[in-house]
Amino acid sequence: MTNIFQTPEKGATKGLLFQAGIDVLQQNGWSVEKAGLGKSSVRKITKGKDTKLVSIRTSQDTWIAFPRTSDDGGWLTLDDVDYVVAVSVDNKYMPRLAYIHMIDATQMRERYDRAYAARKKAGYNIPVGRGVWLSLYEEETSDPVTLVGAGAGLKYPPIASVPLDGRADVDLGEDAPAEDEGPLTIAEAKRRLAMTFGVDPSAIKIIVEG
């Protein structure tokens, strides 16, 4: 997954994505303030009498992560919030837009629980404290096991997009993002072919010959 500290540019992009999440919350009528929990990603948002805790997670490769708690009994930060505000680039190779999703934390916990159980069953070593990564825009599937729990960004379309060059926001309505540049994964190829032929992705078999 993307190392945001690899270059100064990646660090700057993380800041832009995080601020985009805050800006869109405010534009949707929420006041945003630090929650005082000692967790840098958590914010308290308020609209009228409605107050929620959100974790703003940024992604420069369209995957987001949460680590397990120290006792391996749940999810660090994710267990403490009401919503996850996932802010992802539209394309990890040539990013132009930030997509902002507001996802109920209960739904995200269910996805992470499925992912964790599937990976442990498959023999993955997942040290406590290390993030478990989920793809936002790939369809959930059991093969490969790393895509169990994926697809939250497809299930819950972005509430807005923000050009990374700082121009005005673009409202996407119910349109979900899709990566149309860069290498095509097998899972994405199956998804597109399944849509074309009106079948389930499991019915698509792809053979790659060198």
Side-chain angles (χ1 to χ4, degrees):
M1 302 306 142
T2 298
N3 178 2
I4 62 167
F5 301 108
Q6 185 177 18
T7 66
E9 291 78 13
K10 289 190 179 297
T13 299
K14 175 180 171 62
L16 288 174
L17 294 173
F18 196 92
Q19 188 59 47
I22 292 176
D23 291 345
V24 166
L25 286 170
Q26 292 174 333
Q27 291 162 13
N28 279 272
W30 296 95
S31 65
V32 182
E33 59 183 305
K34 290 185 177 180
L37 299 178
K39 298 175 180 178
S40 61
S41 77
V42 177
R43 294 293 184 273
K44 180 172 74 173
I45 62 174
T46 304
K47 183 188 294 186
K49 296 182 179 180
D50 193 13
T51 298
K52 305 290 185 184
L53 286 179
V54 303
S55 176
I56 302 175
R57 314 300 278 198
T58 65
S59 176
Q60 297 183 49
D61 61 5
T62 73
W63 292 62
I64 63 171
F66 284 96
R68 297 289 288 176
T69 55
S70 58
D71 63 357
D72 199 23
W75 298 100
L76 192 64
T77 304
L78 181 57
D79 286 346
D80 300 324
V81 299
D82 302 296
Y83 284 91
V84 174
V85 176
V87 185
S88 173
V89 296
D90 59 331
N91 186 289
K92 61 185 176 182
Y93 301 103
M94 297 180 64
R96 294 165 297 186
L97 298 172
Y99 286 123
I100 295 87
H101 305 261
M102 192 168 181
I103 305 169
D104 188 289
T106 300
Q107 301 300 320
M108 287 302 293
R109 284 191 287 270
E110 290 177 357
R111 288 177 177 271
Y112 274 92
D113 286 345
R114 292 200 302 273
Y116 186 67
R119 294 182 196 191
K120 293 291 284 187
K121 183 178 180 180
Y124 278 59
N125 178 32
I126 306 175
V128 171
R130 182 174 296 178
V132 174
W133 293 86
L134 290 185
S135 171
L136 286 169
Y137 305 131
E138 293 188 78
E139 293 281 1
E140 180 170 5
T141 179
S142 60
D143 184 19
V145 70
T146 50
L147 291 182
V148 173
L154 300 176
K155 176 69 174 180
Y156 306 98
I159 59 175
S161 69
V162 176
L164 291 175
D165 63 6
R167 291 175 295 175
D169 294 349
V170 178
D171 184 10
L172 295 182
E174 294 299 314
D175 294 334
E179 292 191 23
D180 56 3
E181 298 180 63
L184 181 65
T185 66
I186 294 294
E188 178 63 11
K190 286 184 176 182
R191 185 183 72 82
R192 295 184 190 179
L193 288 169
M195 291 176 62
T196 299
F197 296 108
V199 299
D200 189 89
S202 63
I204 301 296
K205 306 298 181 185
I206 296 177
I207 298 175
V208 179
E209 297 183 347

